[in-house]
């Protein structure tokens, strides 16, 4: 049994002072008001504001190698993609393990306690996937490895270059290899329409959707329907499906996603980095979708930046404030709750630092003031996986993994 006294904590949708949590077998066994007059035994005190662990619903771990380096030339989404392929080409199971472990440690230190890894670099299989699972285990965060089907470089075009390493040839062969596990379709560009039925009934199922206008135009030219309509007509939308980005949608697309209860993962820091555009997140929720966040290309890894990005992007697009409350945004970001029976994931934010002091130490501090650098203590499944003291070491680990990858001395 481990116990913590939380100075302030987000419990049942409100900030409360002095919460005692007891953890057994990686889950909360008891969550109760602490009595300050009675000592709480050996409970360690977590000073600051503690929130539930945050869930990163969309990641490509190897994209961490591109941070900073892809900003040197102006470029487009498509030139960025060429640079991304150049990194992918070099990766081996060993170098991917080192990079992914460091990246997942950065995630843990930033407040993410779980990750959905959208994995399409499956060559040589299964070594690359095993490397990712091992990396997450060592970093201490939970991983859902979404084995991703990638068969074509565009509508009706065969895979080319490094994409050949990712292709199983057909969706049937992909399914034979993957079995019943979590799955992803890279995009409607990457899997021909006549093979999409293979994915019917699978959950969780993730798919990149309408990130770029060019994808919509090509889909309309190839099939006469939008990517959303295509997924709907192939029976692939529903509560077990997560569409990633959902940026350029028609009104009908929003209705189809909402009426089927599909989850939409929005990745604001990637979408702004890649000049994708601003998706209709608020309208998707009004239509019936659930929303999650992801750090995707890891242009930054900062869950607070993703959450406030949802609100700030809407403000810029509409010139109106107050689309989301901080409480709503925290609920979107949290993987669970600080409640009995839930996985014992805790993220403590320092509330006396330069960015957060004097901001009220409440949900608005978490969403509108804090950054990943303000996270002081992270517990995942009852285990401490990162503290502020780890930041320098994680930086060194990233530097080493990336120096090796880019062929430079550390
Ligand atoms: Zn992605």
């Amino acid at each position: 049994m481990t116990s913590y006294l939380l100075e302030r904590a987000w419990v049942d949708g409100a900030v409360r002072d002095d919460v005692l949590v007891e953890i057994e077998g990686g889950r909360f066994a008891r969550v109760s008001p602490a009595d300050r007059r009675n000592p709480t035994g050996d409970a360690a005190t977590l000073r600051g504001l503690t929130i539930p662990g945050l869930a990163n619903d969309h990641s490509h771990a190897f994209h961490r190698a591109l941070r900073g380096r892809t900003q040197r030339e102006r470029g487009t989404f498509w030139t960025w993609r060429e640079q991304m392929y150049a990194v992918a080409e070099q990766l081996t199971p060993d170098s991917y393990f080192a990079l992914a472990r460091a990246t997942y440690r950065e995630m843990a230190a930033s407040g993410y306690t779980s990750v959905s890894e959208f994995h399409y670099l499956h060559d040589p299989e299964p070594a690359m996937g095993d490397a990712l699972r091992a990396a997450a285990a060592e970093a201490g965060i939970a991983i859902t490895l979404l084995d991703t089907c990638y068969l074509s470089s565009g509508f009706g075009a065969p895979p080319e270059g490094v994409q050949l390493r990712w292709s199983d040839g057909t969706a049937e062969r992909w399914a034979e290899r993957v079995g019943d596990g979590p799955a992803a379709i890279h995009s409607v560009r990457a899997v021909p329409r006549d093979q999409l039925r293979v994915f019917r009934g699978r959950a969780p199922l993730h798919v990149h959707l309408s990130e770029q206008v060019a994808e919509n135009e090509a889909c309309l030219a190839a099939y006469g329907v939008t990517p959303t309509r295509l997924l709907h007509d192939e029976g692939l939308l529903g509560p077990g499906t997560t569409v990633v980005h959902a940026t350029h949608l028609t009104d009908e697309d929003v209705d189809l996603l909402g009426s089927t209860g599909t989850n939409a993962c929005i990745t604001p820091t990637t979408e702004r980095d890649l000049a994708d555009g601003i998706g209709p997140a608020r309208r998707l929720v009004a239509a019936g979708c659930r929303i999650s966040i992801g750090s995707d290309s890891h242009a930054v890894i900062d869950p607070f930046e993703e959450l406030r990005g949802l609100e700030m992007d809407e403000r810029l697009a509409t010139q109106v404030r107050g689309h989301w409350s901080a409480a709503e945004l925290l609920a979107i970001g949290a993987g669970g709750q600080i409640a009995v029976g839930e996985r014992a994931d805790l993220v403590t934010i320092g509330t006396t630092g330069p960015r957060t002091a004097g901001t009220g130490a409440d949900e608005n501090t978490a969403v509108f003031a804090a950054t990943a650098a303000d996270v002081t203590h992270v517990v995942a499944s009852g285990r401490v996986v990162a503290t502020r003291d780890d930041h320098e070491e994680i930086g060194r680990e990233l530097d080493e993994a990336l120096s090796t990858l880019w062929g430079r001395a550390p």
Side-chain angles (χ1 to χ4, degrees), residues 90-351:
Q90 306 174 42
L91 284 167
T92 63
D94 284 346
S95 62
Y96 202 8
F97 169 75
L99 175 57
R101 184 178 63 181
T103 303
Y104 292 153
R105 289 192 75 197
E106 181 188 352
M107 279 183 205
S110 306
Y112 285 124
T113 54
S114 65
V115 62
S116 298
E117 177 69 30
F118 198 103
H119 170 54
Y120 51 88
L121 301 185
H122 26 66
D123 170 65
E125 185 60 32
M128 293 294 245
D130 290 346
L132 289 165
R133 283 198 191 88
E138 289 202 12
I141 66 174
I143 185 170
T144 302
L145 191 70
L146 299 156
D147 196 297
T148 303
C149 187
Y150 199 119
L151 304 175
S152 50
S153 63
F155 295 91
E160 47 192 43
V162 67
Q163 295 167 346
L164 287 163
R165 284 175 62 180
W166 313 334
S167 176
D168 290 282
T170 66
E172 277 87 1
R173 260 181 270 152
W174 168 89
E176 275 165 35
R177 180 173 61 72
V178 173
D180 290 333
I185 298 165
H186 180 277
S187 56
V188 296
R189 298 193 305 270
V191 178
R193 177 171 201 166
D194 60 5
Q195 300 189 44
L196 288 173
R197 63 190 150 64
V198 169
F199 301 90
R200 237 171 255 169
R202 290 193 77 118
L205 176 68
H206 288 221
V207 53
H208 288 128
L209 179 75
S210 295
E211 179 178 9
Q212 292 274 321
V213 173
E215 175 181 296
N216 288 0
E217 288 170 351
C219 188
L220 279 164
Y223 303 128
V225 290
T226 64
T228 300
R229 180 90 230 178
L230 179 67
L231 293 175
H232 178 267
D233 291 353
E234 293 299 324
L236 298 178
L237 298 182
T241 298
T242 294
V243 294
V244 181
H245 302 300
T247 307
H248 300 285
L249 302 180
T250 64
D251 290 346
E252 191 203 19
D253 292 341
V254 172
D255 288 343
L256 290 173
L257 293 166
S259 63
T260 52
T262 300
N263 185 64
C265 178
I266 315 291
T267 68
T269 67
T270 292
E271 286 144 16
R272 72 190 186 203
D273 182 58
L274 294 178
D276 290 338
I278 300 169
R282 186 76 249 189
R283 281 173 53 217
L284 284 167
V285 169
C289 291
R290 286 181 306 113
I291 295 277
S292 55
I293 53 160
S295 61
D296 189 5
S297 67
H298 313 312
V300 298
I301 294 179
D302 187 331
F304 310 102
E305 193 60 40
E306 304 295 347
L307 292 175
R308 67 175 158 266
L310 288 172
E311 167 66 19
M312 297 304 178
D313 288 352
E314 299 264 7
R315 289 186 189 183
L316 288 172
T318 62
Q319 300 174 54
V320 174
R321 303 176 86 219
H323 299 267
W324 305 90
S325 69
E328 285 177 302
L329 292 168
L330 261 191
I332 286 170
Q337 299 177 51
I338 301 175
V340 172
E342 295 261 330
R343 207 168 60 196
D345 291 2
L346 298 169
V347 174
T348 304
I349 300 161
T351 51

